[in-house]
Amino acid sequence: MSTETPTQSSPASDKLDRGVLVIAGVVVLGAIMSILDITVVSVALQTFQQEFDATSAQVAWTMTGYTLALASVIPLTGWAADRFGTKRLYLIAVGLFTAGSVLCASASSLEMLVTFRVIQGLGGGMLMPLGMTILTRAAGPERVGRVMAVLGIPMLLGPIFGPIIGGALIDSASWHWIFLINLPIGIAAFVYAFVVLPKDDVEPSETFDWLGMVLLSPGLAAFLYGVSSIPEAKQEHGTVWTAQVVAPAVIGVLLIAAFVPWALNRKNLHPLVDLRLFSNRTMTVAVLAMSLFAIAFFGASLLFPLYFQSVRGEDALHAGVLLAPQGIGAMITMPIAGILADRIGPGKIVLAGITVITVGMAMFTQVEADTSYTYLLSALFIMGLGMGGTMMPIMSAALATLKEHAIARGSTLMNIAQQVSASMGTALFSVLLTNGTIDLDPTDPATYVPGLADAFATVFVVATILVACVLIPASFLPRKKIDHAVDPTVLVGH
């Protein structure tokens, strides 16, 4: 474990001091690299098809391969952080991600590009849970809401500005630059982290859970592969019940199910993912809230740029620009939500945030082929205001109740829940949209575009209902500040 450093908080401290902000800069830089690269590639898929003479299903593997690698490595992060130290592991993750980026830019075939995207994902998957661990340890539980608000900026803005950056780089240079841009950023992040992060003081006492790794990491990868294949199967075969979907999904579920009793076995002192953290009521509620939110929000996030492109005829770059009000709204409320979550507890903040998002999402249930941009951008701005008070307060609610040596395991658990749920949400909304448009005739513009708009409106109804469902677990989150000095019973460790 890392030793106490001058950047760690005391109960008396309130504002984020300079030391914590400097460390936050390291973490945010790494998070920006990882998250932007998920979305920045989305605008290059058509370019990849032309460059490598491939189908849309084949080039989709440039995104699927990254996501699978990212999900597979997350479970290892908690153990590796405890075993080798957060600074060493963070430097390795930044180096691996940067090297993978350079390799992607040098790829001369689609197979090479997918392979190098997997290398990128192995590094990128460690950056976010490590960043949460580093920031929470630096600031202490009393200020976890504020540091999570800082970390939330790239998490919420990445999906918005990724397409803008990707489109601009492809238009002005070439597709290689969506990867090469990570080289100077990666070098800066590596040097910054090497200088700023406190030296690791590790006690190598934990053994590695080999059986857990064999069960969980392949299980997650297989399950997400099956889930991510659902839209393609539905589009090509008219059903999701294909071998490409069912076989890996079932294998993944069986492996994950086998991991559960093994992780809870008392003889297994250091499971790969510590499911005993679910004995903490707040952690359990936070995982449920995060899972529902990720399904609804990340799934619905797929719909907004698609609506602007397919219904309103915007290109990828302008569709990304039109999403900016969402980011502006989030930037306004996120710092305020972080401060309030620390002072009055995250429960009230999350309830308010989800309510506001539901209102904004409900506005999209009324979209038509000619809905005014003022109406659409207002709805996105309202959703952004709610987003700033939702995701990171849920994260802070979970991590604020953990002892220092359990933080790495807690952030790993939350990131797995978020990644799996986001993939499920993306698949769900892709299938719903496909079902809604399957009978439309693209050769008849008079009926196709209005019908397409109606299909989007119908899917937004489902998104609104799912977002509103987050209110149920959110209502059980703490609604008052946790007094860590007086109430140590909420803290969970090994």
Side-chain angles (χ1 to χ4, degrees):
M1 291 303 126
S2 299
T3 56
E4 293 287 319
T5 69
T7 60
Q8 289 172 311
S9 74
S10 63
S13 63
D14 186 45
K15 295 182 179 179
L16 295 180
D17 53 74
R18 181 180 177 277
V20 175
L21 290 175
V22 168
I23 290 178
V26 176
V27 174
V28 167
L29 196 56
I32 287 174
M33 286 197 306
S34 174
I35 295 169
L36 272 183
D37 222 66
I38 297 175
T39 55
V40 84
V41 172
S42 63
V43 299
L45 296 181
Q46 189 172 0
T47 303
F48 292 156
Q49 283 184 252
Q50 299 168 355
E51 181 77 16
F52 301 115
D53 190 24
T55 66
S56 59
Q58 289 171 331
V59 299
W61 272 101
T62 59
M63 297 188 69
T64 305
Y66 182 90
T67 302
L68 295 182
L70 185 144
S72 299
V73 78
I74 287 175
L76 304 175
T77 307
W79 169 82
D82 288 340
R83 178 64 176 79
F84 301 109
T86 52
K87 179 175 182 175
R88 293 189 189 99
L89 195 60
Y90 196 81
L91 292 174
I92 291 171
V94 170
L96 197 58
F97 182 87
T98 306
S101 298
V102 175
L103 289 171
C104 285
S106 68
S108 58
S109 68
L110 184 60
E111 292 77 13
M112 288 177 64
L113 181 58
V114 172
T115 300
F116 296 149
R117 284 284 284 167
V118 169
I119 295 175
Q120 254 194 325
L122 294 176
M126 292 187 283
L127 288 174
M128 187 55 70
L130 274 175
M132 288 183 182
T133 301
I134 291 168
L135 269 180
T136 307
R137 287 177 178 175
E142 295 80 15
R143 300 183 295 179
V144 70
R146 280 167 236 209
V147 296
M148 285 298 107
V150 171
L151 188 56
I153 293 173
M155 292 184 72
L156 290 178
L157 300 189
I160 297 169
F161 292 108
I164 299 175
I165 295 171
L169 288 172
I170 291 172
D171 289 344
S172 61
S174 71
W175 67 267
H176 304 82
W177 282 96
I178 65 176
F179 299 113
L180 285 176
I181 195 174
N182 288 326
L183 179 59
I185 299 175
I187 292 173
F190 188 92
V191 174
Y192 191 1
F194 183 80
V195 173
V196 169
L197 295 183
K199 183 180 179 181
D200 291 316
D201 182 14
V202 181
E203 298 175 7
S205 58
E206 293 195 9
T207 56
F208 184 62
D209 182 11
W210 289 103
L211 181 57
M213 184 192 72
V214 170
L215 293 173
L216 187 59
S217 288
L220 285 172
F223 176 72
L224 291 183
Y225 172 75
V227 169
S228 63
S229 300
I230 288 176
E232 181 185 344
K234 182 66 177 178
Q235 192 171 23
E236 293 185 359
H237 305 288
T239 178
V240 301
W241 304 108
T242 64
Q244 184 182 8
V245 172
V246 175
V250 170
I251 291 172
V253 168
L254 291 175
L255 289 172
I256 294 170
F259 172 77
V260 173
W262 167 248
L264 296 175
N265 191 324
R266 292 187 178 183
K267 295 180 180 179
N268 187 3
L269 298 178
H270 306 294
L272 190 65
V273 172
D274 194 353
L275 299 183
R276 299 183 188 99
L277 290 174
F278 283 118
S279 62
N280 179 345
R281 176 179 174 274
T282 302
M283 170 63 77
T284 302
V285 170
V287 169
L288 289 173
M290 176 56 69
S291 299
L292 273 175
F293 177 77
I295 290 173
F297 171 69
F298 289 106
S301 294
L302 169 79
L303 302 176
F304 303 126
L306 280 179
Y307 169 80
F308 285 125
Q309 289 176 279
S310 58
V311 178
R312 309 307 290 264
E314 303 288 351
D315 58 27
L317 178 59
H318 288 91
V321 172
L322 288 168
L323 294 176
Q326 200 174 46
I328 295 170
M331 285 191 290
I332 291 172
T333 55
M334 194 177 293
I336 301 171
I339 294 172
L340 292 177
D342 286 336
R343 291 183 177 176
I344 65 175
K348 297 174 183 176
I349 308 302
V350 175
L351 287 172
I354 293 298
T355 301
V356 173
I357 294 177
T358 304
V359 171
M361 192 74 77
M363 292 175 68
F364 268 91
T365 64
Q366 307 303 308
V367 294
E368 298 176 351
D370 57 354
T371 302
S372 75
Y373 278 95
T374 301
Y375 179 90
L376 296 173
L377 299 184
S378 298
L380 286 169
F381 179 72
I382 291 171
M383 270 190 288
L385 292 175
M387 285 158 48
T390 302
M391 189 163 68
M392 300 322 289
I394 292 175
M395 290 277 192
S396 65
L399 300 185
T401 63
L402 303 179
K403 292 179 180 178
E404 182 187 353
H405 57 276
I407 290 172
R409 300 305 180 100
S411 62
T412 296
L413 186 58
M414 290 296 289
N415 274 273
I416 290 174
Q418 179 189 323
Q419 183 63 46
V420 172
S421 300
S423 298
M424 292 173 64
T426 300
L428 170 65
F429 284 97
S430 295
V431 170
L432 290 175
L433 189 61
T434 300
N435 284 341
T437 59
I438 199 166
D439 294 327
L440 298 179
D441 182 7
T443 63
D444 183 7
T447 60
Y448 179 69
V449 174
L452 199 57
D454 288 341
F456 273 97
T458 301
V459 180
F460 279 122
V461 171
V462 178
T464 303
I465 294 171
L466 285 177
V467 170
C469 287
V470 183
L471 290 169
I472 299 173
S475 64
F476 293 96
L477 291 171
R479 299 193 197 181
K480 61 181 180 179
K481 180 180 179 180
I482 299 173
D483 190 340
H484 302 273
V486 176
D487 187 15
T489 60
V490 297
L491 302 176
V492 174
H494 293 291

